[in-house]
Amino acid sequence: MRITRVLSTALLALGLAAGPAAADSTPSPGASDDGKAPTRAGTSFRTATEIDQGQRATASGSTGDYLYWSFPADAGQRPTVAATVKLPASHGTQTWQIDVYDGLRRRQSCQYGAATRTAAQGTSSVELACVLRTVRAWSEPWANDPLPGTYYVRLTVVDLAAGDLGQPVSAEVRADSKHIGGAAAVDGSLAEPLVPGIAVKSAARKDGDGARSAVLSSIEPDGGWSSGWWSDRWVWTGIGGVLAALAGIGGYALTRGSGRPSRVPPNA
């Protein structure tokens, strides 16, 4: 009976721990399109149009233009950027590409997805996708790991016939992410996320100078920047300690016996 109670308690603890882990594996909820979605794109990093995760942005341009958007990504998220380019009715073979850069303007490689695609002659549209690596809360200065902060999306054509240059096109871009959880947790965190101008804003807060509080990028995740201070690794660590204690109690219950000697020595 004691062993049964111990096992029941252990299974209950595992069930409670599985709840947060399952929640972390689901995609993060995105912003709904409520008619306020951006309808233009920037032409450089400094003029990139800000979008929230889960928000569909559209823009019109011409073949040969560079179109820029930016979105926030926090520690533990695995961002996915998808783009659809609608091409004119008459065009030759074209190759389109999306590139994603972090807050330091370092190009981030795609873990998987078709970031470069060629549209054959007469194709009405081309779809692109880039799944980044999981954003880490901290990294070595020499590493190129994704870090919390602003991410930039650049969409452009990289190969086309000279006669197609300047033709009108329209594009749709959407950024989403999946929360990975404790599997991607690391020790340490950044002092500030990689958001352009946030260091100036932090200095202004310390000095009380409101005139210096401008930030080049104002977007941030829902609930603010976590910088990796919490992950389900804390939950599993606590559950591991509880299970170890229960195992010790169960082992003691099995080995201690009835507590009475099996034989009573005769009186001398």
Side-chain angles (χ1 to χ4, degrees):
M1 293 298 293
R2 292 175 179 173
I3 301 302
T4 302
R5 288 196 298 269
V6 170
L7 291 177
S8 299
T9 305
L11 292 175
L12 177 61
L14 286 174
L16 293 175
D24 286 339
S25 63
T26 58
S28 60
S32 59
D33 292 333
D34 54 1
K36 298 180 180 179
T39 57
R40 57 179 296 275
T43 57
S44 66
F45 286 101
R46 292 182 62 87
T47 62
T49 298
E50 298 178 353
I51 61 174
D52 294 320
Q53 289 193 25
Q55 188 177 42
R56 182 178 62 89
T58 60
S60 298
S62 303
T63 51
D65 291 343
Y66 286 93
L67 306 179
Y68 286 83
W69 295 267
S70 63
F71 68 95
D74 205 357
Q77 294 182 342
R78 180 183 293 167
T80 298
V81 179
T84 301
V85 183
K86 297 180 180 179
L87 304 174
S90 177
H91 66 84
T93 302
Q94 300 181 2
T95 301
W96 287 80
Q97 179 173 303
I98 54 173
D99 298 298
V100 183
Y101 300 83
D102 65 8
L104 297 178
R105 299 186 185 179
R106 303 176 302 179
R107 184 179 181 275
Q108 294 295 319
S109 60
C110 300
Q111 191 175 25
Y112 51 88
T116 303
R117 271 191 170 176
T118 300
Q121 182 177 1
T123 304
S124 60
S125 64
V126 58
E127 296 183 355
L128 308 167
C130 177
V131 181
L132 299 178
R133 295 172 294 165
T134 304
V135 178
R136 298 164 59 90
W138 180 86
S139 178
E140 295 287 350
W142 46 262
N144 194 38
D145 296 322
L147 294 170
T150 301
Y151 281 76
Y152 297 92
V153 181
R154 184 178 71 183
L155 174 65
T156 189
V157 62
V158 294
D159 186 24
L160 80 166
D164 289 337
L165 190 64
Q167 286 190 333
V169 294
S170 60
E172 295 182 1
V173 171
R174 182 184 176 101
D176 296 284
S177 67
K178 178 179 180 181
H179 191 75
I180 303 303
V186 297
D187 294 330
S189 62
L190 298 180
E192 297 287 353
L194 300 180
V195 177
I198 196 169
V200 177
K201 182 177 180 180
S202 300
R205 287 176 179 173
K206 293 179 180 178
D207 299 340
D209 184 4
R212 297 173 55 198
S213 61
V215 179
L216 299 180
S217 179
S218 60
I219 53 177
E220 64 179 27
D222 294 338
W225 299 100
S226 66
S227 297
W229 73 272
W230 166 259
S231 71
D232 58 3
R233 187 171 63 170
W234 292 91
V235 178
W236 287 107
T237 301
I239 295 301
V242 172
L243 292 179
L246 293 176
I249 295 173
Y252 174 76
L254 287 173
T255 58
R256 76 186 184 100
S258 62
R260 298 178 181 178
S262 58
R263 292 177 55 191
V264 179
N267 294 328

